[in-house]
Amino acid sequence: MTSPKPTSLTSAPWRHRSDDTPVACTTGESRDYRQLRLALAHRQQQLRSLASCPADVALFDPDPWQFVVTLLALWHLGHRVWLPGDDRPDTRQALAQRQIPWLTPALSLSPLPKAEEMLPEWGELRADATAVVLFTSGSTGEPAPLAKRFAQLDSEVEALYRCRPFESGCIISQVSHQHIYGLTSALLRSLCENRPFGLEPALWPESVSRLLDNLSVSALISSPAQLSRLPESLRLSRHPHDVFSSGAPLSADAAATAERLLAAPVTELYGSSETGGIAVRRQAERSGWQALADVDTDYRDGLLWLRSPRLDEPGHWYCHADRVAPDGQGGFHLLGRADRIAKIGGKRVSLVSMGQHLEALPGVRRAHCLVIEHAGGRVGAIVETETTEQPVDHDPRRALITDLRNRLGEAFETTALPRFWRFVPEWPVNAQGKLTRSTITRLFADLDDRRRVRWLGTRFDSPDHCQITLEVPERLLQLEGHFPGQPIVPGVAQLDWVVTYCREAFTTQGPWRRFERVKFPLLLLPGERVILDLTLRGERVDFHLGSPRGCHATGRLTLSREQMDNHS
C-alpha cells in the first residue's frame, strides 16, 4: 500500500501518531512512537542538564535510533543542528574553531527512573528556521557549511514522495544520515510518510540479505559505491519494493546488474547539497534525467540552470556547475563538471577536460585531475584502469605513465601534464559516491611523508575481512640502507603496515600482544604493488601481503583481551 501524502516536519508528526505505531525496526525488534517519545523526553532532560548548550550544536551519531532521538530533542529545544560528515580529528577541530560543541553518542539513552511519566517539550518547528547545517563534499576545497531551513527539508521530502512514494514496509539504508541524501531519504521521509526506518545500517550485502529475509522492506536507500559492488553470489529470498541511489550517476551496467540482483527498480536521484533534489531517472526506461515536478530547468551555454523551492533563494535562477545537453524527450544528459580551472605554468587549464581526455583513452575507466598545492602546484591524476591495465611494479607503471602523458600531450601543454599518478583498483568514493578531499589527501600522503607506504584503496568484503591495495614508493625512507645496489623493504616496515591498517580496519588500539608465525617468503622491492589481506578471527588478525609475484609476508597479529572487548 502506497503511503499517503507526507506530513510536514513542521507539524511534528511523531508527536501525534498512536503509541503502538511502529517507527523503527530490525530483525527481531520493533520500536513504536511511545518509545520514541519517551526516549525524546529522556534526551531532552539530559541536554538540559549540560552546563551550557548553545543554540548551535554538532551532532554525530552513526546509530539511526539515537541520531533521530537526539535530532528531534534538539529541534524541539530550539537548537540548530550541525551535521559533520565524519568524526575525524580535523573535522572536530574545524567545528571547535567555530565554537560549536560536539555532541557525541556518549549520552546514554538508558531509561531513567519513572521514565513513563516524562513528557517531551514540544517547541515550535518554524518553516523559516534553520533545521540543520550540512557540509559540501569538499572534493575541491575545504568543506563549506550549508544551512537548510525546515521548509527546504519539507520540500525535499515531498518532492521525493511525488517521484516515487514509499510502499508499506521498512526503509533500510546503506548510506550515512549525516549527509542530505541519507538524512532526507532514509530518516525524514520515513517519519513523514509513516514508514519505519531501519534500526541498523545495512552496510554489507550480507546485512541487506539478512534484513530482507526477516523484514518486509519498502525501500533500500543506497549509492553507486554500494550498488556497483554487489557480488554476483548475492542470493535473496525476498526483495525490496524499490531501490534508490544518489551521489553520482550509476553506469548503465551497474544499474542493470543492481536491478537484476535485487529484483527491484533502481531509481537514481540527481542533485547536490546546495540544490537538493533536481531530477530522477530509471535507466531501464531512459538514459536521460527528468527534472522533478517542482523544478524549472534551462540550458544556457551548455550549463544547467534551475529554479527550485529547495534553493536558498527559490525564486532565483541558479547555475549548476554541470554541463548538460537536452535529450530530446524533455530531459537532459549529464556531460560532466564545467568548473575547476587551474593556472599551471602561467596558462589556464581545465582539469575537468584533462580528466575527460584520460577517460576517453583505451583501458581507462575513470579519471580525476587536481592541483597538488603542497607539491609545487603540479597536477596529480587519479586513474582507474581496466584490471588488465593495472601496473604491478616499476616498469609497467612507468610505461603506462609515459603512454598517458604522450597522449595528453596532444591536447595540453607539457608543463600542465600530471606529474603525480595514482592508479586505483576501484574508484575511491565514500558511501555517498563522492571522491572527498580527505581521500585525495590520503592518496597523495606519501609526497609529504616519505615513511608512508602509498595507499590506493581499501575494500571490505565483510566487517571482519578487508583488502588494502598498497604501492611501495621508490623514495620510501625505509629503503635507505636496505641494501646498496638492490633496495628492499625491510620486514619490520611491512609489520608496521599490518599494525597501522589493523587499527584502521577493526578500530583496535595498541599495545599489541605479539606477532606469531611471521614469514617473509619473497623480497618486496621498490615500485611493487601489493595487496594486504586482513581477516579478523576472534582474538587475532591473520594477514597476507602478496603481489602477482607471490607472497611477501604472512602471519598473525594477536590482540589483547581488552582490545577484543572494545571491538565487540
Side-chain angles (χ1 to χ4, degrees), residues 458-476:
T458 300
R459 175 172 185 150
F460 277 88
D461 297 320
S462 73
D464 296 333
H465 177 252
C466 68
Q467 293 182 324
I468 302 107
T469 303
L470 305 171
E471 196 169 70
V472 181
E474 298 185 28
R475 57 194 294 273
L476 183 72

Side-chain angles (χ1 to χ4, degrees), residues 448-492:
D448 293 325
D449 187 351
R450 290 183 55 206
R451 297 168 299 178
R452 299 186 66 158
V453 67
R454 184 173 297 151
W455 174 85
L456 295 175
T458 300
R459 175 172 185 150
F460 277 88
D461 297 320
S462 73
D464 296 333
H465 177 252
C466 68
Q467 293 182 324
I468 302 107
T469 303
L470 305 171
E471 196 169 70
V472 181
E474 298 185 28
R475 57 194 294 273
L476 183 72
L477 188 64
Q478 291 90 329
L479 294 171
E480 295 183 0
H482 299 83
F483 291 95
Q486 179 54 73
I488 64 171
V489 180
V492 66

Side-chain angles (χ1 to χ4, degrees), residues 29 154 205 342 515:
E29 182 180 7
D154 271 332
F515 279 101

Side-chain angles (χ1 to χ4, degrees), residues 2-8 151 153-167 184-185 189 192-193 242 244 267-269 277-281 285 290-296 307-310:
T2 302
S3 63
K5 182 178 178 180
T7 308
S8 68
L153 297 180
D154 271 332
S155 174
E156 184 84 8
V157 167
E158 185 167 352
L160 295 175
Y161 165 83
R162 289 179 178 175
C163 160
R164 198 164 179 89
F166 283 154
E167 298 292 328
T184 54
S185 293
R189 274 196 75 183
C192 293
E193 292 189 40
D242 281 293
F244 293 90
T267 300
E268 294 181 75
L269 308 172
I278 297 174
V280 298
R281 71 173 177 180
E285 298 173 346
Q290 183 67 43
L292 294 170
D294 58 357
V295 175
D296 297 323
R307 287 188 304 193
S308 165
R310 289 170 289 287

Side-chain angles (χ1 to χ4, degrees), residues 2-39:
T2 302
S3 63
K5 182 178 178 180
T7 308
S8 68
L9 293 170
T10 51
S11 66
W14 46 87
R15 178 180 178 180
H16 306 289
R17 298 237 167 91
S18 61
D19 283 354
D20 58 356
T21 299
V23 65
C25 61
T26 188
T27 56
E29 182 180 7
S30 177
R31 297 181 189 173
D32 57 33
Y33 275 94
R34 175 182 175 275
Q35 291 171 288
L36 177 66
R37 287 189 283 266
L38 288 174

Side-chain angles (χ1 to χ4, degrees), residues 221-251:
I221 309 301
S222 192
S223 73
Q226 305 280 359
L227 296 179
S228 62
R229 297 173 183 172
L230 290 174
E232 282 290 340
S233 59
L234 185 67
R235 296 292 182 269
L236 302 177
S237 60
R238 300 168 67 183
H239 308 277
H241 191 276
D242 281 293
V243 178
F244 293 90
S245 176
S246 187
L250 272 170
S251 69

Side-chain angles (χ1 to χ4, degrees), residues 37-38 40-42 44 48 115-122:
R37 287 189 283 266
L38 288 174
L40 199 160
H42 175 204
Q44 287 182 333
R48 291 191 198 96
E116 293 79 4
E117 300 175 10
M118 300 173 62
L119 295 175
E121 178 180 331
W122 299 115

